[in-house]
Amino acid sequence: MDFYFGLAQIIGVHTLIGLSAYIVLLTGQVSLAQAGFFAVGAYVAGMLTVLAGWSILPALAASSLLGALVAGAVGFPALRVKGLMLVIATLAFGEVVRLFFFNFDYQVAKGGVKLGPLGGEGFRQIRYFPENGWTTMQVMLFIWLFVALVMAILWWFDRSRYGAVLRAVGEDELAAQSVGLNLTAVKVSAMTIGGAIAGLGGGIYAHYTTHIEHASFGILLATFALAYPILGGLGSVFGTVVAAIFVQGFLIEGLRFLGDWRNLLFGALILLAMNLRPKGFLDAPTLQWIRRLFGGKSGAA
Amino acid sequence: MSALLEIRQLVTAYGKIEALKGVTLDVEQGSITCLLGPNGAGKTTLMMTVAGILRPKSGSIRLAGEEITGRPPHAIVAGGIALVPENRLVFPNMSVLENLQAGAYQRRDREIEADIGKLFERFPRLKERSGQNAGTLSGGEQQMLAVARALMSRPKLLLMDEPSLGLAPLVVEEIFRIIVQLHQDGVSIFLVEQNAHMALKVAQHFYLMEQGKVTFSGTPGALAEDEVIRRAYLGSAKA
């Protein structure tokens, strides 16, 4: 059973980083910086529990806050450029963060053992959960509590005026300006919220793996972050979780029996999924169908 | 009494190329003022500069006596100018109703719903389609929606950039009927048009812009009398 709990942990954390990209994508911005915010969160939360002896909840609050601050600071200059330029700018930022942690040493001796980040070696022994006797299932439930919380907040955003504002900017920037939206404020706010979610996800990730290193926060993670909301569909937050289950649960774990052939099939299946569901797993008709299923009103979505 | 919109020596450049080379014009309170001109004259650039989307290099724009030059677009909308952009630019994947709500993003009052109700009375076809995605509307309906969306900000001045563009003649007539109605309701309108025949029927004052400069200013009568303009914009037949 622990295997499935472990898998659910991975899916939960990947859903979080996917949701951090989701809110930015709503404004029409493609950001490869989410892995960078995730890395910041991971290192900050790890250092706070291991070196400063903080409890997990304040450490996650701090990692989320720092993720938001960094994202807001990056957002201001980065969001002045558009489209492919933004992709490259955010990619560059992600690499800067990764290389920072590649070079970052901050070790403190605790009970005869040196603990803390050690450059390319990474940051080992982030043992808050085992030290406090959490079982795999408890950690899994803890993670999904946060996933549910973030999804609920984003779902509520989506139904509010703020969600409409984000989508308006994503649909047409000129039209959004002509109805009086402040593009910079809208984009930076989405980036900041995305950074908070990624920082939270990183903080959780550091604690369930117990060992983090720069290589985990590269372009691959940044690509996954974008892939979930795009694959799942931008119509609803639930698309992102469906896609994370599809990629992490089915494509990566479910096909493990195929050995090295899996990697080849992985790409082919993603292509196939995108061709069969060009607007995402949960596109507008599917969402309406689900709504009807639950007895809600169809029509105005 | 000064004009509602006063533009003085306005210069807007794309890099080194000046699209507006010192434009001066007025839009009177309660008027329909029409800006004519060939493609590339700078008409859309002027509209975008007034709306704050483009920043002028020099010159001044005043709304009801207040300097608004260089303000960002959201401040301009808040100040009372709404732009109906060229090619309509509705939010295609949002419903008609959501598009109208978008027009009121700046507002915090409680009359938004009532205003939507009034606009639905004015544009019954939008009401019929309120739940439909704006991208599925016909060109004329999208233009109505773009106008209605702009009105949601309760503007003092409505800027309309070529509302007849790409619409069938009957639909163009309908759009101009709407423009006249709005004018009768007291909305001041600054209109960019290439369709001089239609514009002649509704506007009280005309400007002609060529290569970034205003080359004519006058009443519809004076416009129709001007031999050169008549040949270029109205065909050789007497209007």
Side-chain angles (χ1 to χ4, degrees):
Chain A
M1 219 40 212
D2 267 5
F3 167 78
Y4 290 102
F5 291 149
L7 180 58
Q9 292 176 353
I10 296 172
I11 293 172
V13 165
H14 275 252
T15 302
L16 284 177
I17 194 170
L19 291 172
S20 88
Y22 169 84
I23 186 163
V24 180
L25 276 169
L26 284 188
T27 67
Q29 313 301 308
V30 176
S31 160
L32 284 172
Q34 307 312 110
F37 308 142
F38 188 85
V40 168
Y43 274 87
V44 167
M47 287 169 68
L48 286 174
T49 59
V50 174
L51 303 180
W54 285 30
S55 172
I56 186 77
L57 284 176
L60 289 180
S63 69
S64 182
L65 185 68
L66 213 75
L69 287 177
V70 173
V74 170
F76 260 105
L79 294 171
R80 288 185 173 274
V81 296
K82 286 181 189 169
L84 292 174
M85 302 286 273
L86 177 67
V87 175
I88 300 300
T90 51
L91 171 65
F93 166 77
E95 283 300 284
V96 166
V97 172
R98 187 181 66 79
L99 290 167
F100 172 79
F101 287 118
F102 180 67
N103 288 294
F104 181 58
D105 294 335
Y106 188 84
Q107 290 220 306
V108 177
K110 285 220 160 181
V113 192
K114 280 197 150 190
L115 292 173
L118 183 63
E121 288 278 298
F123 183 0
R124 294 170 193 277
Q125 306 286 334
I126 306 173
R127 297 182 49 80
Y128 182 88
F129 288 140
E131 272 169 13
N132 288 279
W134 293 47
T135 65
T136 317
M137 187 180 78
Q138 283 170 329
V139 174
M140 190 265 302
L141 290 175
F142 181 74
I143 293 172
W144 278 90
L145 192 74
F146 279 104
V147 175
L149 184 72
V150 168
M151 280 175 63
I153 292 172
L154 290 184
W155 187 83
W156 175 70
F157 270 164
D158 240 356
R159 255 134 211 84
S160 72
R161 177 186 174 117
Y162 180 61
V165 165
L166 294 180
R167 287 180 189 273
V169 170
E171 293 234 327
D172 194 312
E173 293 196 358
L174 197 57
Q177 279 183 306
S178 71
V179 297
L181 290 179
N182 183 340
L183 289 188
T184 313
V186 173
K187 288 182 192 173
V188 172
S189 73
M191 195 75 158
T192 306
I193 295 167
I197 299 170
L200 172 71
I204 293 174
Y205 168 78
H207 286 87
Y208 88 71
T209 58
T210 71
H211 169 205
I212 53 177
E213 57 179 341
H214 72 98
S216 319
F217 306 112
I219 176 79
L220 184 67
L221 183 65
T223 314
F224 271 133
L226 280 177
Y228 301 132
I230 292 174
L231 212 52
L234 289 175
S236 147
V237 288
F238 298 103
T240 302
V241 64
V242 170
I245 293 170
F246 173 73
V247 171
Q248 292 296 328
F250 174 65
L251 290 186
I252 293 186
E253 285 307 323
L255 299 180
R256 207 174 269 287
F257 69 93
L258 292 171
D260 288 344
W261 288 99
R262 181 189 60 167
N263 294 334
L264 193 140
L265 206 59
F266 183 98
L269 283 174
I270 285 193
L271 277 177
L272 187 69
M274 296 195 92
N275 272 286
L276 291 177
R277 313 284 306 173
K279 300 233 160 167
F281 292 140
L282 299 186
D283 56 7
T286 316
L287 284 171
Q288 274 203 6
W289 178 78
I290 293 171
R291 231 164 263 146
R292 262 198 305 268
L293 213 63
F294 286 95
K297 277 185 295 175
S298 62
Chain B
M1 161 111 192
S2 63
L4 176 63
L5 182 75
E6 297 167 288
I7 299 174
R8 294 291 174 268
Q9 289 302 320
L10 194 68
V11 177
T12 301
Y14 298 100
K16 285 193 170 172
I17 299 160
E18 289 184 352
L20 302 182
K21 298 168 184 166
V23 171
T24 295
L25 58 80
D26 286 335
V27 176
E28 296 295 333
Q29 173 79 45
S31 76
I32 299 179
T33 300
C34 179
L35 182 63
L36 290 172
N39 288 331
K43 305 185 298 292
T44 294
T45 302
L46 179 64
M47 287 294 181
M48 302 262 269
T49 309
V50 174
I53 294 165
L54 295 174
R55 267 176 185 270
K57 214 165 112 183
S58 62
S60 96
I61 307 168
R62 292 158 81 89
L63 178 71
E66 193 184 343
E67 186 75 40
I68 59 165
T69 323
R71 284 193 193 167
H74 53 97
I76 302 265
V77 175
I81 295 183
L83 170 68
V84 183
E86 195 177 13
N87 293 315
R88 307 177 266 283
L89 302 185
V90 293
F91 299 112
N93 296 311
M94 290 165 60
S95 71
V96 168
L97 181 64
E98 287 167 334
N99 266 272
L100 291 179
Q101 287 163 343
Y105 280 153
Q106 289 264 341
R107 290 170 56 184
R108 290 281 180 273
D109 57 274
R110 291 163 179 281
E111 289 166 36
I112 293 172
E113 288 304 313
D115 278 12
I116 291 177
K118 277 184 211 154
L119 283 170
F120 276 156
E121 267 169 46
R122 193 193 284 277
F123 304 104
R125 261 194 287 167
L126 294 183
K127 186 177 185 178
E128 287 163 28
R129 305 190 190 294
S130 71
Q132 206 170 314
N133 274 2
T136 64
L137 302 182
S138 72
E141 289 163 350
Q142 288 191 17
Q143 187 65 59
M144 284 177 205
L145 179 57
V147 173
R149 186 183 64 188
L151 291 173
M152 282 303 293
S153 69
R154 292 190 169 176
K156 295 182 189 129
L157 174 66
L158 190 63
L159 307 177
M160 301 179 84
D161 196 350
E162 287 214 47
S164 70
L165 193 72
L167 298 179
L170 274 178
V171 182
V172 173
E173 280 183 25
E174 191 171 357
I175 296 295
F176 273 85
R177 267 200 300 278
I178 291 166
I179 293 173
V180 170
Q181 272 177 22
L182 291 176
H183 175 238
Q184 284 165 354
D185 293 351
V187 183
S188 306
I189 296 171
F190 186 23
L191 174 73
V192 162
E193 254 309 330
Q194 301 235 37
N195 189 332
H197 282 288
M198 287 306 298
L200 263 178
K201 292 182 193 162
V202 301
Q204 289 90 47
H205 198 93
F206 279 88
Y207 289 97
L208 177 66
M209 229 173 109
E210 288 167 306
Q211 294 178 15
K213 285 183 183 142
V214 173
T215 53
F216 170 89
S217 163
T219 61
L223 183 83
E225 288 303 307
D226 190 301
E227 192 60 36
V228 181
I229 295 176
R230 206 170 67 212
R231 228 178 269 147
Y233 294 95
L234 298 167
S236 49
K238 278 255 181 195

